Amino acid sequence: MALAGLSRRERQIMEILYRRGKLPVSAIREEMQDAPSYSAVRSLLRVLEEKGHVKHQAEDLKYVYMPVVHADKARRSAVKHLMTTLFGDSPEQVVAALLDVASKRLTREELDRMAAMIEKARQEEK
Amino acid sequence: MALAGLSRRERQIMEILYRRGKLPVSAIREEMQDAPSYSAVRSLLRVLEEKGHVKHQAEDLKYVYMPVVHADKARRSAVKHLMTTLFGDSPEQVVAALLDVASKRLTREELDRMAAMIEKARQEEK
DNA sequence: AGCATAATGCTAAAAAATCAGCAGGAGGCG
DNA sequence: CGCCTCCTGCTGATTTTTTAGCATTATGCT
């Protein structure tokens, strides 16, 4: 539920932070599509901090911002949200869409690892 | 890109429409979390229609609303967006998160079908 | 020291999203 | 008919989001 419920810009920033980890304001701004002014980015971060989504620490004479909720948890939460809202809670359908979208870039090795993950899940299931 | 870029309420409505297909205003409202007034829902739909995300047709003496972009396309687009923004473009990581989140509900049959999908992708890859 | 650069703190305005209200039309039913 | 219910068309207000500006401080460099 973390990412859903945020505004457009807020989400944009959170996605950047989850991708890159820990960044100063200027770097966040550079990653943004149609980046607004430096001040605007800072305001967004201030709001996100008030809401408890990010925290900052001083480093190298400036602030670096990072998510409060760990990336893994946020990712799982986002996948779950996607699965329930658009795929009728069917993991299978998600995999189908995923393979469809990513097929071009998929190497045999990646496919093997995915198969292994599923095999492992089967073991645990049983 | 369709769903990203929408506001909170707009997304909420689009998700409902993709889940349920084609609905009159009252039904959409009933599906909404913290549903606002009937008027508010209609305003949102009007805006979504102006932006080209939904269309409506008369049916049973009232309007039913539906997405303009087909569900499959929207789903693929959403998965892709999720994969690139939160998973560094790694389909593998998405599958890992998915299995983690859904593991409890996964039956052997579902896992088998997923494995089959991956096997099929391997064939086409080679 | 003097100046340019790059931060922050604080503030407020502009734009977009969200919400609600009222008038009017059509159907159902006593 | 008269009344109630459910819908639409239209409009405007409130709230949130998004943006920018200015003052100040610290650093590095000439």
Side-chain angles (χ1 to χ4, degrees):
Chain A
M1 275 293 203
L3 285 193
L6 295 185
S7 72
R8 195 178 71 91
R9 285 299 202 195
E10 287 170 346
R11 243 178 306 143
Q12 200 178 358
I13 288 180
M14 292 308 294
E15 288 169 349
I16 289 169
L17 288 178
Y18 278 122
R19 232 179 320 138
R20 303 281 315 278
K22 181 192 291 188
L23 293 175
V25 181
S26 56
I28 293 173
R29 176 161 186 266
E30 282 161 12
E31 294 261 336
M32 290 176 83
Q33 283 275 324
D34 310 309
S37 73
Y38 187 86
S39 293
V41 179
R42 283 192 309 134
S43 291
L44 287 164
L45 286 165
R46 182 172 38 72
V47 172
L48 281 169
E49 190 153 33
E50 281 168 9
K51 292 188 184 173
H53 292 100
V54 305
K55 60 187 174 185
H56 73 268
Q57 63 191 33
E59 186 167 298
D60 253 359
L61 297 176
K62 61 194 165 190
Y63 291 169
V64 290
Y65 286 83
M66 68 208 81
V68 166
V69 174
H70 283 323
D72 282 352
K73 191 171 177 185
R75 291 190 185 114
R76 282 195 296 269
S77 171
V79 168
K80 182 172 187 172
H81 184 259
L82 183 74
M83 179 173 73
T84 65
T85 54
L86 286 185
F87 291 87
D89 268 319
S90 161
E92 203 181 330
Q93 298 294 322
V94 178
V95 171
L98 188 64
L99 289 175
D100 193 31
V101 158
S103 61
K104 290 162 192 162
R105 273 170 297 186
L106 279 173
T107 66
R108 169 179 287 266
E109 286 73 24
E110 286 176 305
L111 287 167
D112 285 346
R113 284 195 296 270
M114 287 190 213
M117 285 190 270
I118 288 174
E119 180 54 30
K120 183 154 175 257
R122 275 192 53 168
Q123 305 293 334
E124 289 164 3
E125 150 78 18
K126 177 74 167 310
Chain B
M1 281 290 206
L3 284 194
L6 295 185
S7 69
R8 195 178 70 92
R9 285 299 202 195
E10 288 170 345
R11 244 179 305 143
Q12 201 179 357
I13 288 180
M14 292 308 293
E15 287 170 352
I16 289 169
L17 288 178
Y18 278 123
R19 232 179 319 139
R20 302 281 316 277
K22 181 193 290 189
L23 292 176
V25 181
S26 55
I28 293 173
R29 176 161 187 266
E30 282 161 11
E31 295 260 337
M32 291 175 83
Q33 284 276 325
D34 311 308
S37 74
Y38 187 86
S39 293
V41 178
R42 283 192 310 135
S43 290
L44 287 164
L45 286 166
R46 182 172 37 72
V47 171
L48 280 170
E49 190 152 33
E50 280 168 10
K51 292 187 184 174
H53 291 102
V54 305
K55 59 187 173 183
H56 73 267
Q57 63 191 35
E59 186 168 297
D60 253 358
L61 298 176
K62 61 194 164 189
Y63 291 169
V64 289
Y65 286 84
M66 69 207 81
V68 166
V69 173
H70 283 321
D72 282 352
K73 191 171 178 184
R75 291 191 185 112
R76 281 195 297 269
S77 171
V79 168
K80 181 172 187 173
H81 183 259
L82 183 73
M83 179 173 73
T84 66
T85 55
L86 287 185
F87 291 87
D89 268 318
S90 161
E92 204 181 328
Q93 298 294 323
V94 178
V95 170
L98 189 64
L99 289 175
D100 193 31
V101 158
S103 61
K104 289 163 192 163
R105 272 170 297 186
L106 279 174
T107 66
R108 168 179 291 265
E109 286 73 24
E110 286 176 303
L111 287 167
D112 285 346
R113 285 195 295 269
M114 287 191 213
M117 286 191 267
I118 288 174
E119 180 54 30
K120 183 154 175 257
R122 276 192 53 169
Q123 305 291 335
E124 292 164 2
E125 149 77 16
K126 178 73 167 309

